[in-house]
Amino acid sequence: MKKLAALFQDSYSELKSVRTVTASAMFAAVGIILGSLTVQVGDFIKIGFSTIANQFVYYLFGPAVGCFYGGALDILKYLVKPTGAFFPGWTLSAMAAGVIYGCFFYKKKLSLRRVLAAEFAVSFVCNIILGTLWLDLMYGKGFFVLLPMRAFKNLVMWPVNSFLFYSMTWALEHSGVFRAIRGSV
C-alpha cells in the first residue's frame, strides 16, 4: 500500500512541472486528431486509436496525472467534437483508465506482459463493465443485451491495442524521445 501511495505522490508531483503540462497538452492534441479518425461500427461500438497518445501520458507521468489528463481530455474532446449527449460517466471512465494505466506503467519496466495486463484491465473495467453500464443508463438498452458485443469488440482489440502501444513505446523509448520529454537526456 505504501508503494501505491508513493506512486501517486510521485505522479502528483509531476503536475508541478511545466514540461509535464506541456507534453500532456501536446499528446492531448495528437489524441484529439486521432480521435477524429474513429470509426463508428453500429450504434454502440467505436474503433479508434486516440488511446495510444493518451497511454504515453500515463506511461510517462503516472496515475495522478493520468486521472486529471483523462478527465480533462474527455471534456475537451466533447467540446471540440461532440458525439451524442454529454454524460459524466464517460469522464469517470477516462479518469479510471488513466489511473489504471498509470499504475501499470509509471516508473515500471516496459514489457509486453505488463502492457497486455494493463490493456486487459482497462478493457474489462472501463470499457466492458463501466462503458456498458453508461450506455444502459443513457439509452436504456439493457446491460446484458449490450454486454456480449462490447465484450467481443474489446477482446478482439485487446491484443491489437497492446501490440501497437508496446511497439510504439519501445521504439520511442529506445530512440531517446521519452528521455527528452522527461528531461533526463
Side-chain angles (χ1 to χ4, degrees), residues 3 55 75 91 97 146:
K3 284 184 179 182
Q55 287 173 319
I75 293 168
T91 305
L146 297 170

Side-chain angles (χ1 to χ4, degrees), residues 35 37-49 51 74 77-78 81-85 90 127 135 139 149-150 153-154 157 161:
L37 304 174
T38 299
V39 177
Q40 186 81 27
V41 182
D43 291 335
F44 303 107
I45 301 218
K46 294 181 198 174
I47 297 176
F49 298 100
T51 304
D74 182 72
K77 279 183 181 180
Y78 179 77
K81 185 182 177 199
T83 55
W90 298 113
N127 300 345
L135 288 170
Y139 302 113
M149 71 178 163
R150 292 188 52 80
K153 178 257 183 182
N154 279 280
M157 292 303 293
N161 290 340

Side-chain angles (χ1 to χ4, degrees), residues 3-183:
K3 284 184 179 182
L4 187 61
L7 188 72
F8 272 87
Q9 183 61 39
D10 290 348
S11 177
Y12 182 74
S13 67
E14 296 265 9
L15 282 171
K16 298 175 186 172
S17 167
V18 173
R19 183 181 299 269
T20 299
V21 174
T22 305
S24 296
M26 298 283 241
F27 284 120
V30 171
I32 289 171
I33 291 167
L34 288 174
S36 69
L37 304 174
T38 299
V39 177
Q40 186 81 27
V41 182
D43 291 335
F44 303 107
I45 301 218
K46 294 181 198 174
I47 297 176
F49 298 100
S50 66
T51 304
I52 293 170
N54 302 343
Q55 287 173 319
F56 291 152
V57 172
Y58 312 142
Y59 173 76
L60 291 168
F61 306 120
V65 173
C67 182
F68 289 119
Y69 173 87
L73 186 60
D74 182 72
I75 293 168
L76 185 61
K77 279 183 181 180
Y78 179 77
L79 293 173
V80 169
K81 185 182 177 199
T83 55
F86 178 77
F87 184 71
W90 298 113
T91 305
L92 290 174
S93 290
M95 294 170 77
V99 170
I100 294 168
Y101 280 129
C103 287
F104 271 93
F105 297 147
Y106 186 57
K107 294 188 174 183
K108 306 245 173 46
K109 187 177 185 320
L110 180 69
S111 71
L112 185 56
R113 179 177 286 164
R114 181 179 305 280
V115 173
L116 284 165
E119 190 66 41
F120 181 80
V122 169
S123 290
F124 183 74
V125 172
C126 299
N127 300 345
I128 296 173
I129 301 299
L130 290 177
T132 306
L133 177 63
W134 305 146
L135 288 170
D136 178 36
L137 291 175
M138 289 175 70
Y139 302 113
K141 294 292 183 184
F143 184 87
F144 292 105
V145 171
L146 297 170
L147 188 64
M149 71 178 163
R150 292 188 52 80
F152 178 74
K153 178 257 183 182
N154 279 280
L155 286 174
V156 168
M157 292 303 293
W158 169 45
V160 173
N161 290 340
S162 297
F163 180 74
L164 280 173
F165 175 73
Y166 176 77
S167 59
M168 291 180 73
T169 303
W170 186 91
L172 291 171
E173 193 67 68
H174 284 81
S175 69
V177 171
F178 284 158
R179 279 192 306 279
I181 291 172
R182 285 187 195 107

